[in-house]
Structures are given as structure tokens and as C-alpha cells.
Amino acid sequence: MTANKPARLVVLLGSASDLPVVEDMAPLCERFGISHRVEIASAHRQPDRLRQVIRESEAAGADIFVAVAGMAAHLPGVVASLTLRPVIGVPVAVGALGGLDALLSIVQMPPGVPVATVAIGKAGARNAAVLAARILALGDPAIAAALAAYREDLAQGGR
Amino acid sequence: MTANKPARLVVLLGSASDLPVVEDMAPLCERFGISHRVEIASAHRQPDRLRQVIRESEAAGADIFVAVAGMAAHLPGVVASLTLRPVIGVPVAVGALGGLDALLSIVQMPPGVPVATVAIGKAGARNAAVLAARILALGDPAIAAALAAYREDLAQGGR
Amino acid sequence: MTANKPARLVVLLGSASDLPVVEDMAPLCERFGISHRVEIASAHRQPDRLRQVIRESEAAGADIFVAVAGMAAHLPGVVASLTLRPVIGVPVAVGALGGLDALLSIVQMPPGVPVATVAIGKAGARNAAVLAARILALGDPAIAAALAAYREDLAQGGR
Amino acid sequence: MTANKPARLVVLLGSASDLPVVEDMAPLCERFGISHRVEIASAHRQPDRLRQVIRESEAAGADIFVAVAGMAAHLPGVVASLTLRPVIGVPVAVGALGGLDALLSIVQMPPGVPVATVAIGKAGARNAAVLAARILALGDPAIAAALAAYREDLAQGGR
Amino acid sequence: MTANKPARLVVLLGSASDLPVVEDMAPLCERFGISHRVEIASAHRQPDRLRQVIRESEAAGADIFVAVAGMAAHLPGVVASLTLRPVIGVPVAVGALGGLDALLSIVQMPPGVPVATVAIGKAGARNAAVLAARILALGDPAIAAALAAYREDLAQGGR
Amino acid sequence: MTANKPARLVVLLGSASDLPVVEDMAPLCERFGISHRVEIASAHRQPDRLRQVIRESEAAGADIFVAVAGMAAHLPGVVASLTLRPVIGVPVAVGALGGLDALLSIVQMPPGVPVATVAIGKAGARNAAVLAARILALGDPAIAAALAAYREDLAQGGR
Amino acid sequence: MTANKPARLVVLLGSASDLPVVEDMAPLCERFGISHRVEIASAHRQPDRLRQVIRESEAAGADIFVAVAGMAAHLPGVVASLTLRPVIGVPVAVGALGGLDALLSIVQMPPGVPVATVAIGKAGARNAAVLAARILALGDPAIAAALAAYREDLAQGGR
Amino acid sequence: MTANKPARLVVLLGSASDLPVVEDMAPLCERFGISHRVEIASAHRQPDRLRQVIRESEAAGADIFVAVAGMAAHLPGVVASLTLRPVIGVPVAVGALGGLDALLSIVQMPPGVPVATVAIGKAGARNAAVLAARILALGDPAIAAALAAYREDLAQGGR
């Protein structure tokens, strides 16, 4: 993904070590025609930077945030507390619990501040891109058309 | 929720026994100004009826589906395979496994067909309404304003 | 397994990546004298193709379906909603949760639409073949005899 | 269920305390026209009695065994080792682990001796009856017709 | 606990509904001679208020924070990202997962920002008070003496 | 271990593939002076052979059985139903669930027929030998002395 | 159970609140003719008292210890580190994790210091008494006879 | 870490095999200016040595103990029962359960004897050093300054 330019979809990683998890997102976003950008900002180690990234992203036109994190994965929930845009959370399997820790830390958000959670790991990251396309397609016929073509490919056995 | 009329948000339950889970959604939808409707259609017992409900809901202008289910909770994933609209999945705790079965059955969707999963039970159902508002607010300033006011209330200690 | 010919046992995979899971089924089916066939049809990406495969398989004499899937493993349950034949579900361990997600997604079917679930992975796939033989042996003395010989082999320490 | 008479379906309980779990099976069996009988025989406390019940049931024409058990639920697997008929296992939630212990003890059978596992508790017991009907319908048009009518009822919203 | 006055120990709750969890902390703090105060501030609904409470508490002399939360329990980790004081996290069992979600959300903090996690629920809250006393006793002989007397009571069978 | 001779301790494996799990038992048994023997007998595939092995082992003076099994690990419980000697169960991690399936299948025995369960895998197998020594030491001063020496070695940092 | 007199079986509880868990042990011990006694001694709050109870019990002829504990259930393992007699561990379900915490804390002992673990709760406590009888029967024909009669009762359907 | 000299932080391992888990602690302690030492003492195999190490460490000025253990990880709790200093527990993933056994064995301590639990494995060990620095910083301005500089580094993207 290209960084540091306006983007409708902003992918936030708690750590650069999570970059391989999202590597399939860029081609999907390009297929759907969604401008996108990756930022690394830890909820715990860089709380001020995280606030700033979200503020600037919103100012630059971000519509959706995808937040990717492992272990006690607070990033998606913290992002959701700092924006009113839809936030998609991708749990990462780090260490020995198979990502169950990250999944529960992301999906079990208390009432008022939702995170749209998808599957653990790379499968989830890919689906985050598709879910973003479904959301943006509500107001964007070009994305809707790309999504329909994508579904057709899947039905033909493509991935 | 009022049934049988056009609605931007359609809530699908696998069984009428899940109605109490969604009882807090109607006031939230009304607060956000989102028209809504509840339909009961089992993915397994009524696959044809489910297809028809989705087709008719889309024709009547549905933007988002919320699918609520317990146990081997296939309803959200099956709905996501039948529409290109965003689908929000709410796991229900039925029986003795505390909803972990429903959560994994909903969130672990394979690549291509995402479900935006929220927390187990009533907390998740409430967040499904808020997440729908966040999605629709992208294209609807009135909902965006209602959402901002809602966040203000939460910050004041309201729920 | 030989594809595209009449078969009493039809094995459905959600994805070609699950083929190694079922590789021990063909020799077992041949030993029991059960005609068999493998089809790949995703419940989520190819819902229409799946309906067609089931309809055509039934027309061609299929008695039993074995459905193999990982993650949010909806395939077995969806198949069971589309046929009245017995459906055997084989959970696959994909990703980091060890197949627990697939197991719960398959076994915890709500009342009315059962899936006969077996163990996770290749051990389960083998047992799916044996279970199919036990079912078909009720009406087929040749299979019953083959099954009795198989049990004898197991008792002698064979696998 | 009526005891002590010939039956195509024999329900085995490890303990009389599991009787409430199977209370919905009798009306379903009657609807499908499947003769049935309940026997109580513990795999651990009454291994000789269990062998005798199975031998006598088979002699009297039993086609399918349903074995119901909680905790370290060995009954279904032990029954499967003593008969070549299809064995359906129903896990029961006893104590504090929510039936996960029973589920894993039943479903994770090693290769060669399968148990067709259904959901935990009463939902699973009901599905055991429906699964038995699906199996017996392969050779019995009356049961097949009853099953089709049952599916029709489910599609109409009945349970 | 008395609110709104200087306190060495500040207990933060995400929601007033968690008050019963901490009800045994006040007598323990009083026994150890530790001034204490309870504040309610949600990490997600009131992120700005939370920052302010922490800043003011530190200015008023807070040495230790105890953060109590259920579900996706981010409060302790977020507090730990906003202060350099020791943070003790108490997971609460809300809903059907028995507090496992909260436990993993609190204890699995990534490197750099630790939370000292104690047991789920009221037992953990009591131990949070004792752990705070152990920490403060390093620099406060009166607390050390009270702690030694407390241990003596425990050894005599007291709780 | 030497097979086919009288032994106070008989180790039963459900499958030859479990032999590596017990490889540390022989040196421990020799150290404690406990005669021992390994037999392979599956509870499910070889129920008759299993009964015979137990009967013959008892006739030849077996005092304790150690039963080792993975997945739906019924062997220890079935052995305990066929003998009145103490039975020690060792769960084995087979497949993707990490041995949790085997552990619950062994330890959660219903009242009346206990299995003395030890840890999963090789650590558990070693402890099975030590537990057997503790049991036999009650009536055998030589074993008691060997056990005391072993404890002394452990205290010196030996394993 | 009668306290403060010589006993072959000593039941150790971490807390008086665990007394109901062991209430079925006394009649079983009496049936088997095993003298028994209950002591309350916490591994964590009363480490010195625990050492003394074990030392005195051994001096008074204790052959077997049964240790009962919940949560981070260290009592059985600590007892096993302080004696060379067989130690039977009974996990108790305290709080919201259903006893899984106690089970793993007891059964997963590292090599060298085994605990013979039985099922969670009252079922496990009963089996602790039966397991003790199986152990003592190795050297005591009267207990062996009582055990054989007990098995006969179980086979007749008694509990 | 340098052994056998006075240290404010004493790291206790149940086994030398856990040494790699703590290898990142020494540079962190040095950065914070905390004298430290590693001792190996098993709670189960060397209970007397463990008591002595704790007694001598306290006499030599130890302020905090970090106890590292896997499986039924009793070491942290036993240490906490033998000292009144703060005890930090680090669960280690040994074997197939991913460290969940160790985590629950450490964190679920009963009331009165707390262990400050951190994440499983090396991430947790690093955080144990940071948590110790936060505790000692309460009474040591140099450590407080080092901690503030460390936080600054984290905010700049350092680890």
C-alpha cells in the first residue's frame, strides 16, 4: 500500500511486525478502486500519535479504519473510541493462544462503541477489504460494480 | 420494531426465541433515524424463505442486514452469501457453551464473504445498531449528527 | 476419487485446499464397495452451484453427503438444509484455533437439521467413510460383509 | 418411549439422570414411524450389561443406536466398538464445563470406529431422532415421506 | 470508598455496574492505612474524561491505579498507556464467557506497557488491594506492619 | 520396556504411535525396581483383546495399569471398568486441540470408576511412573527407599 | 468425617467453603473400611500449618492424601512436594471458569511430583474415595472385598 | 543476568529450561538501573531450597520477586506465600495448551495472596521488568526518570 497520501481506507497496525498479515489487502483495495494507506501506531506505546493519525486521516477524507492487532488487542477499540467512522478489527494470532486473546479483546466491545470484527489473521484482513468495499458501495456505484464482478469471480471458483 | 414496511436496516433472526436479544435495537435505531424491520427466517429450516426475504428487502431499499443467531450460527454467513450489502452478525449464547460456538461460527468466515461481527448477546445487538449508524452516517449527515450527539451522551455517563 | 459419474457417496469440499484432508477416503470407499465422487463447492462463494451439485447428485442416486470445511464451517449445515439425505460433517483445522471453530460450527446445529459430525481432520475423514459404510450396510449385505471384515482387520491390529 | 419391545432405534443412556435430555425424541420418532426403546446401561459401571443390551437389541432388529452421555462420555464410543450399526452420540452438559468435555469425548473418535455426533443436550437429542430418520429413509419410503412433511413444517415456521 | 479526595490508590471502573466487584476493597485499604478513591470512567465512551481523571489523580498524589473492567476489558491497558504508575487490572465476568474475555484482554499486554493482572471478579479485587499494600509497603513501614499482621490473621484461618 | 513377562506395572497403549510418549517410563521403573511391560490394545478396535490382556495381566500379578491415549481417549476409563486395580491415565496431544480432548476424556470420569489422571504427554508419562512408585511404596520398603533417593536427586537439581 | 484421630486417608481442604464438595466421601470411606479425617489448611495462607499437618498425619499413619482446591489450585501439588505418599487432587469449580482453572492447575504437574487428578467437583471427590480404596486394596484384602462388592452394586444400577 | 550478588529484583525460574524466556529482562533492568539476579528453584522438587533462596534474597535487600513457570505453574503463588514483597508471575507456554494452563495457575490466586500476572512468555517477561521499574520508581527518582525516557523511546517507535 502507498503511504502518506489521502485515502478512504486507513489501515492501522499496532506494530510493523503485523505487516505480513495485511499484505493481501492492497490488491483487493485496488481491484475495488478504494484509495488506501497503512499507518503504524500503537494504542499503548503511542497514544498521542494514534490520536493525531486518526485526526489527520479524518481531515484527509478517511471513511473507514481497519485496525489490526494481536494479544490484548486494544487498538481497534481505542480507534473506535476516537472516531465516529466505522472501524473494522482484525485479530492477529501472536504467541501461543492462537489469536483467541486478540479475537475476544476486539469483538467483545461494550455497548456504544462497536468494532466490526472479522476472522483471525490473513483471511480476516482480506475480508476487511471486502467489508470496506461493501460499506463504501452503498454510496459508490463503481465500487458496487467492482464488488459484483468480484462475487462473480468467486462463484467461478476464483479467490 | 415495526415489521412489513420499507426499512434501511433489516434485522434477521433465526428464531423468534432470539427476539429478546434485539429488544434494545429499536430505540437506538429510532434515535439515529434509521428505518428498521425484523424478520424471522432460519438459514437451515427456511432456506427458500430466507432468499426471498433478502431479495424483497433489497428491492425495498435495505442497506444493511443484521443477522442474529446462536449455536452453529450460520445465518449471518448465509445472508452474506446472498447479498452484497454489509452484514452485521450478532452471536447469541444458547445452551452451555456461553456463545463461543456462535461467535466462532460467525466471525471465522473464509475469505471473500465477510460478516462484521459484534459482541455476544444484547450488548452486541446494541452495538449492531450503532455500527449500522456509523456506516449509514458516511452518506447521511442527519445520522452523523445523531451519532455525534449519542457519543456526547455516552461521554456524559449515559448509556 | 473419480469425479463426474454416479456415486452413492458424494464428498463436498468448500475449497480445493481441503483435498489432502480426504485423501484416505477413496481406498476405504473402494474397500467397502461404495461408489463415490468429490465436488468442490463453497457454501458462501458458490451458493447457486452448491444447490445445483446437490440436486444433480440426488438425481444421480447419491445416498449420503460428506461435507468438509474449516473456519466458520457452514458447508455441512447448508448441505443439510438442501437435502434430506444423511449429511456427515468433517471439521478441518485451518489457522490458529486448531479446528475448534470448525467443530462447533458443524456440530452445534439447531433442532430440525442434523449433521452427523466426526473428528477434526484426516481421522474424521476416514471415519466419515466408515460411518457411511455403516449406514449403507443397513440395506446392503455386501457392504455389511466388507465392514465386518474391516472390523476383523482392526482387531488384528490393522488400521 | 416404550421399553422392552422390538425397536429399530435404541436409545442408550449412561444414567437415568439423562432421561430429560431425550424427552423430545419419542414424539419425533412416532411422527417418523420409527419404533424405539430406551435402555439405561453405563459403559463403566455396567460393561457386561451393556454388551448384553447391544447383543439383544441387534437380535431384535435394532438398526441404529443413539448413545447419550455426559462428562468423559465414553458410552457412544464403546457402543460403536460393540456394534457395526450406525451410532449417534449426544453429548450432555453435566457440571461446570458446559458439555465441552462430553462433546470432545464423543466426537474425537480415532479412525475406524466412528460416532455420528450431534449438538450438546436436548437440541442434539432431537436432531438424533431426525438423523436416524434420514438414515432409515434411505430404505423406507414411509419414513422418507414423513421426513419430507416434517421439513415442510419447519419451512412453515414449525419446530 | 470515599470519593473526591486525595488518595494513594485510585480505583477506576469502566461502569457503575462494576461497583459490587470492588466492595471488599475499602475495608482492606482501611486496614492497611491506604487512602483510596473510586472513579468511574469508561476507556471507550469517555476517553477524554479518563485522561483527565488520571492527570488529576497523579497531581493529587496517586501512587497506584486499579482498573476494573469486563468483556473487551481495555481500561487497564489504556490506563497503563496514560500513566507511569503501576496499574493493577481486575477482570470482571460479564456475560457468558466467564470472564475469560476480560482476563485475556487485560493480561496479554504487549511489551512495554504492563498491567499487573489479578484473578477474575471479587477475589481479584481483594487481591488488588493486597498487592497495592505489598507495593506501598516497600516504602512505608506502617503498611508493612499492617501487611504482616494481615498475613498472621490469614495463617490463623481468617480471611 | 521388556514385553511378555510378569510385571507389576502394565502400560497399555491404544496405538503403537503412542510409544514415544512413554519412552522415559522404563528407566524410571527400573530405578524404582518396578517390573513393567507395554501392551498395545485399542479400546475401540480391539475390545476383546483388551479384556484378555487385562485378565492375563492381573493373573500374572499386575498391580497397576497405566493407560495412554489421545483424542477421545477412552482407553483409561474402559480399563478402569474392567479391573479393580488403580488405573493411571496419560492424555496424549494428537491433532490440533493440544490434548485438551484427551485430558477431558480421561479425567472427567463419572462417579464409581476413577482414573488417576496425570499431565498431557511425556511429562505425564514420567509422572505416571512416579505415581505408581508412590502407590507401590506403601507396601514395599525398597520402592519407598528408591523414591526417597529420587526425591533427593530432584532436590539437588536432577530431573 | 471425624477429625483429629489417626486416619489412613487424610482429606485436605484449602478452605472450609469446600466442605460440601467432599460430603459424599465419608459414607464411601466407611463402606470401604478406610479410616479418614478432614483438615483445612491453605497452601498459600497457611504454608507452615500445612507442613505440620502433613508431618503429623504421616506420623499418625496416613497412607494417602486427598487435596481439594479451586481457582489456582496449588494445594494438591504443594502437598505432593511435601510427602512421598500418593496424593489425589480434586479440582473445585469456583467462580466463572467452571473449574477449568483448577483442573489445569492440578493435573499439569511437572515431571517428578505427580498428583493423581480426578474429575471436577463432587463427582471427583467421590472418585477420590474409590481411587483410594483401589490403592489400599493392593495391600488389604478386606478393602479389596468391599471394593468388589461396591462394583457389584454399581453393576446392579446402584450408585 | 549476574547471579549470586545482592539484587533488588530476583528472578526465580522453576527450571533452567525457562532461561530463554527471560533473556530480554537483563538489558531492560540495566537500562532502568535495577540490580537483578536469577535463581533456579523448583516449587515442587526443591521446596526447602526455595524457602532458603527467598529468605536469603530478602536479607540481601530484594524488593521484588519475578517468578517464571509453565504447566501447573505454582512457583509464583508459592513464592507469594513465602514473602510479603510484590511477586510478579510470568506464565510460560510448555507443551500443547499454549500456556493457558500456566496463566490460569498463576493469575487465579485466592484472596489474600496476590500474584501480579503478566502476559505469557517472553513478552510477559519483558513487561515484568517494566512493571518492576514502575513499582520501584515510586521511591526512586532515577528509575522514574529512566522509565520516562523509556516511554519516550516507545512513543518514537522503539521497542
Side-chain angles (χ1 to χ4, degrees):
Chain A
M1 295 188 181
T2 324
N4 292 101
K5 54 160 216 234
R8 297 192 72 184
L9 179 68
V10 175
V11 180
L12 296 161
L13 309 183
S15 153
S17 62
D18 292 335
L19 275 168
V21 175
V22 300
E23 73 188 2
D24 294 342
M25 290 188 72
L28 276 169
C29 286
E30 271 142 39
R31 171 171 193 160
F32 296 130
I34 301 172
S35 57
H36 52 90
R37 198 156 53 91
V38 174
E39 292 279 357
I40 297 172
S42 162
H44 298 119
R45 293 185 301 269
Q46 305 171 302
D48 292 323
R49 170 167 155 71
L50 179 62
R51 289 184 165 233
Q52 188 183 343
V53 166
I54 292 172
R55 208 177 311 118
E56 290 176 2
S57 297
E58 290 190 342
D63 283 325
I64 297 180
F65 292 93
V66 173
V68 182
M71 299 185 69
H74 298 191
L75 184 66
V78 169
V79 173
S81 78
L82 297 174
T83 183
L84 286 175
R85 303 283 189 278
V87 177
I88 302 173
V90 181
V92 180
V94 177
L97 293 179
L100 188 64
D101 46 0
L103 170 57
L104 297 178
S105 298
I106 293 174
V107 79
Q108 285 290 82
M109 287 291 290
V113 188
V115 171
T117 310
V118 290
I120 298 169
K122 290 185 72 170
R126 289 175 64 176
N127 268 349
V130 182
L131 178 57
R134 287 185 174 219
I135 290 170
L136 296 176
L138 291 176
D140 187 329
I143 295 179
L147 204 48
Y150 172 70
R151 173 160 71 172
E152 204 51 45
D153 276 9
L154 292 181
Q156 299 307 321
R159 302 294 298 258
Chain B
M1 294 189 183
T2 324
N4 292 104
K5 52 156 217 239
R8 297 191 73 184
L9 179 69
V10 175
V11 180
L12 295 161
L13 309 183
S15 152
S17 63
D18 291 335
L19 275 168
V21 175
V22 299
E23 73 189 2
D24 294 343
M25 290 187 73
L28 275 169
C29 287
E30 272 143 37
R31 170 170 194 164
F32 296 131
I34 302 172
S35 58
H36 53 89
R37 197 156 53 91
V38 174
E39 292 280 356
I40 297 173
S42 162
H44 298 119
R45 292 185 300 269
Q46 305 172 302
D48 292 323
R49 171 168 155 68
L50 179 61
R51 287 183 165 233
Q52 188 184 345
V53 166
I54 292 171
R55 207 178 312 119
E56 291 175 3
S57 297
E58 290 190 342
D63 283 324
I64 296 179
F65 292 93
V66 173
V68 182
M71 301 184 68
H74 299 191
L75 185 65
V78 170
V79 173
S81 77
L82 296 174
T83 183
L84 286 175
R85 303 282 189 280
V87 177
I88 302 173
V90 182
V92 180
V94 176
L97 293 179
L100 188 64
D101 46 0
L103 170 57
L104 296 178
S105 298
I106 293 174
V107 80
Q108 285 291 80
M109 286 292 288
V113 189
V115 171
T117 310
V118 290
I120 299 169
K122 290 185 72 170
R126 289 174 64 177
N127 268 349
V130 181
L131 178 57
R134 286 184 173 220
I135 291 170
L136 296 175
L138 292 177
D140 187 329
I143 295 179
L147 204 47
Y150 173 69
R151 173 161 71 172
E152 205 50 46
D153 276 10
L154 292 180
Q156 300 306 322
R159 304 291 299 255
Chain C
M1 294 187 182
T2 323
N4 292 102
K5 52 158 220 235
R8 299 192 71 184
L9 179 68
V10 175
V11 179
L12 295 162
L13 309 183
S15 153
S17 63
D18 292 335
L19 276 168
V21 175
V22 299
E23 73 188 3
D24 294 342
M25 290 188 71
L28 276 170
C29 286
E30 270 143 40
R31 172 172 193 161
F32 296 131
I34 301 173
S35 57
H36 52 90
R37 198 157 53 93
V38 174
E39 292 280 356
I40 298 174
S42 162
H44 298 119
R45 293 185 300 268
Q46 306 171 302
D48 292 323
R49 171 167 154 70
L50 179 62
R51 287 184 166 232
Q52 187 183 342
V53 166
I54 291 171
R55 208 178 312 118
E56 290 176 3
S57 297
E58 289 191 341
D63 282 325
I64 297 179
F65 292 93
V66 173
V68 182
M71 299 185 69
H74 298 191
L75 186 66
V78 170
V79 173
S81 77
L82 296 174
T83 184
L84 285 174
R85 303 284 188 278
V87 177
I88 302 173
V90 182
V92 180
V94 177
L97 294 179
L100 188 65
D101 45 0
L103 170 57
L104 296 178
S105 298
I106 293 174
V107 79
Q108 285 290 81
M109 287 292 289
V113 189
V115 171
T117 310
V118 290
I120 298 169
K122 289 185 72 170
R126 288 175 65 178
N127 268 349
V130 182
L131 179 57
R134 286 184 175 220
I135 290 171
L136 295 176
L138 291 176
D140 187 328
I143 295 179
L147 204 48
Y150 172 70
R151 173 161 71 173
E152 204 51 44
D153 276 8
L154 292 180
Q156 299 306 322
R159 301 293 299 255
Chain D
M1 294 188 182
T2 324
N4 292 104
K5 53 157 216 241
R8 296 191 72 184
L9 179 68
V10 174
V11 180
L12 295 162
L13 309 182
S15 152
S17 63
D18 291 335
L19 275 167
V21 175
V22 299
E23 73 189 2
D24 293 343
M25 290 188 72
L28 276 169
C29 287
E30 271 143 37
R31 170 170 193 162
F32 297 130
I34 301 172
S35 58
H36 52 89
R37 197 156 53 93
V38 174
E39 292 279 355
I40 297 172
S42 162
H44 298 120
R45 293 185 300 269
Q46 304 172 302
D48 292 322
R49 171 168 155 68
L50 179 61
R51 287 184 165 233
Q52 188 183 345
V53 166
I54 291 171
R55 208 178 311 120
E56 291 177 3
S57 296
E58 288 190 342
D63 282 324
I64 296 179
F65 292 93
V66 173
V68 182
M71 300 184 69
H74 298 192
L75 185 65
V78 170
V79 172
S81 77
L82 297 174
T83 184
L84 286 174
R85 303 283 189 280
V87 177
I88 302 172
V90 182
V92 179
V94 176
L97 294 179
L100 188 65
D101 46 0
L103 170 57
L104 296 178
S105 299
I106 292 175
V107 80
Q108 284 291 80
M109 286 291 289
V113 189
V115 171
T117 310
V118 290
I120 299 169
K122 290 186 72 171
R126 287 175 64 177
N127 267 350
V130 181
L131 178 58
R134 286 184 174 219
I135 290 170
L136 295 175
L138 291 176
D140 187 329
I143 295 178
L147 204 47
Y150 172 70
R151 174 161 71 170
E152 205 50 46
D153 276 10
L154 292 180
Q156 299 307 322
R159 303 292 301 256
Chain E
M1 294 186 183
T2 323
N4 292 103
K5 52 156 217 239
R8 298 191 72 184
L9 179 69
V10 174
V11 179
L12 295 162
L13 310 183
S15 152
S17 63
D18 292 334
L19 275 168
V21 174
V22 299
E23 74 189 2
D24 295 342
M25 290 187 72
L28 276 169
C29 287
E30 272 144 35
R31 171 170 193 162
F32 296 130
I34 302 172
S35 58
H36 52 91
R37 197 156 53 92
V38 174
E39 292 280 355
I40 297 173
S42 162
H44 298 119
R45 293 185 301 268
Q46 306 171 302
D48 292 323
R49 172 168 154 68
L50 180 61
R51 288 183 166 234
Q52 188 183 344
V53 166
I54 292 171
R55 207 178 313 119
E56 291 176 3
S57 296
E58 289 190 342
D63 283 323
I64 296 178
F65 292 93
V66 174
V68 182
M71 301 184 68
H74 299 191
L75 185 65
V78 170
V79 173
S81 77
L82 297 174
T83 184
L84 286 174
R85 303 283 189 279
V87 177
I88 302 173
V90 182
V92 179
V94 176
L97 293 180
L100 188 65
D101 46 0
L103 170 57
L104 296 177
S105 298
I106 293 174
V107 79
Q108 285 291 81
M109 286 293 287
V113 189
V115 171
T117 310
V118 290
I120 298 169
K122 290 185 72 170
R126 289 174 63 177
N127 268 349
V130 181
L131 178 58
R134 286 184 174 219
I135 291 170
L136 296 176
L138 292 176
D140 186 328
I143 296 178
L147 204 48
Y150 172 69
R151 174 161 70 172
E152 204 52 45
D153 276 9
L154 292 180
Q156 300 306 322
R159 303 293 297 255
Chain F
M1 294 185 181
T2 322
N4 292 102
K5 53 159 218 235
R8 298 191 71 184
L9 179 69
V10 175
V11 179
L12 295 162
L13 309 183
S15 153
S17 63
D18 291 335
L19 276 168
V21 175
V22 300
E23 73 189 2
D24 293 342
M25 290 188 71
L28 276 170
C29 286
E30 271 142 39
R31 172 173 191 159
F32 297 131
I34 302 173
S35 57
H36 53 90
R37 197 157 53 93
V38 174
E39 293 280 355
I40 297 172
S42 162
H44 298 119
R45 293 185 301 269
Q46 305 172 302
D48 292 323
R49 170 166 156 71
L50 179 62
R51 288 185 166 233
Q52 189 184 342
V53 166
I54 292 171
R55 208 178 311 118
E56 290 175 4
S57 297
E58 289 190 341
D63 283 325
I64 296 179
F65 292 93
V66 172
V68 181
M71 299 185 69
H74 298 191
L75 186 66
V78 170
V79 173
S81 78
L82 297 174
T83 183
L84 286 174
R85 303 284 188 278
V87 177
I88 302 173
V90 181
V92 179
V94 176
L97 293 179
L100 188 65
D101 46 359
L103 170 57
L104 296 178
S105 298
I106 293 174
V107 78
Q108 285 290 81
M109 287 291 289
V113 188
V115 171
T117 310
V118 290
I120 298 169
K122 289 185 71 170
R126 288 174 65 176
N127 268 350
V130 181
L131 179 57
R134 286 185 175 219
I135 291 170
L136 296 175
L138 292 176
D140 187 329
I143 295 178
L147 204 48
Y150 172 70
R151 173 160 73 172
E152 204 51 45
D153 276 9
L154 292 180
Q156 300 307 320
R159 301 294 297 257
Chain G
M1 294 187 184
T2 323
N4 292 103
K5 53 158 216 240
R8 298 192 72 184
L9 179 69
V10 174
V11 180
L12 295 162
L13 309 183
S15 152
S17 63
D18 291 334
L19 275 167
V21 175
V22 300
E23 74 189 2
D24 294 342
M25 290 188 71
L28 275 170
C29 287
E30 270 143 37
R31 172 172 190 160
F32 296 130
I34 302 172
S35 57
H36 52 90
R37 198 155 53 93
V38 174
E39 292 280 355
I40 297 173
S42 162
H44 299 119
R45 293 184 301 269
Q46 305 172 303
D48 292 323
R49 171 167 155 69
L50 179 62
R51 287 183 166 233
Q52 187 183 346
V53 165
I54 292 171
R55 207 178 313 118
E56 290 176 3
S57 296
E58 289 191 341
D63 283 323
I64 296 178
F65 292 93
V66 173
V68 181
M71 300 184 70
H74 298 192
L75 185 65
V78 170
V79 172
S81 77
L82 296 174
T83 183
L84 286 174
R85 303 284 190 278
V87 176
I88 302 172
V90 182
V92 179
V94 176
L97 294 179
L100 188 65
D101 47 359
L103 170 57
L104 296 178
S105 298
I106 293 174
V107 79
Q108 285 291 80
M109 287 292 289
V113 188
V115 171
T117 310
V118 291
I120 299 169
K122 290 186 70 171
R126 288 175 63 177
N127 268 350
V130 181
L131 178 57
R134 285 184 175 220
I135 290 170
L136 295 176
L138 291 176
D140 187 329
I143 294 179
L147 204 48
Y150 173 70
R151 173 160 72 172
E152 204 51 45
D153 276 10
L154 292 180
Q156 300 306 320
R159 302 293 297 258
Chain H
M1 295 187 181
T2 324
N4 292 103
K5 55 160 215 237
R8 295 192 73 184
L9 179 68
V10 175
V11 180
L12 295 161
L13 309 182
S15 151
S17 63
D18 291 336
L19 275 168
V21 175
V22 300
E23 73 189 1
D24 294 342
M25 290 188 72
L28 276 170
C29 287
E30 271 143 37
R31 172 172 191 159
F32 296 131
I34 301 173
S35 57
H36 52 91
R37 196 156 54 92
V38 175
E39 293 279 355
I40 297 172
S42 162
H44 298 120
R45 293 185 301 269
Q46 305 171 302
D48 292 323
R49 171 167 155 69
L50 179 62
R51 290 185 164 231
Q52 189 184 343
V53 166
I54 292 171
R55 207 178 311 117
E56 291 176 4
S57 297
E58 290 190 340
D63 282 325
I64 296 180
F65 291 93
V66 173
V68 182
M71 299 184 70
H74 298 191
L75 185 66
V78 170
V79 173
S81 77
L82 297 174
T83 183
L84 286 175
R85 302 284 188 278
V87 177
I88 302 173
V90 182
V92 179
V94 177
L97 293 179
L100 188 64
D101 46 358
L103 170 57
L104 296 178
S105 298
I106 293 175
V107 79
Q108 285 291 82
M109 287 292 290
V113 189
V115 171
T117 309
V118 290
I120 298 169
K122 289 185 71 171
R126 288 175 64 177
N127 268 350
V130 182
L131 178 57
R134 286 185 174 219
I135 291 170
L136 296 175
L138 292 177
D140 187 329
I143 295 178
L147 204 47
Y150 172 70
R151 173 160 71 171
E152 205 50 45
D153 276 9
L154 292 180
Q156 299 308 321
R159 301 295 298 258

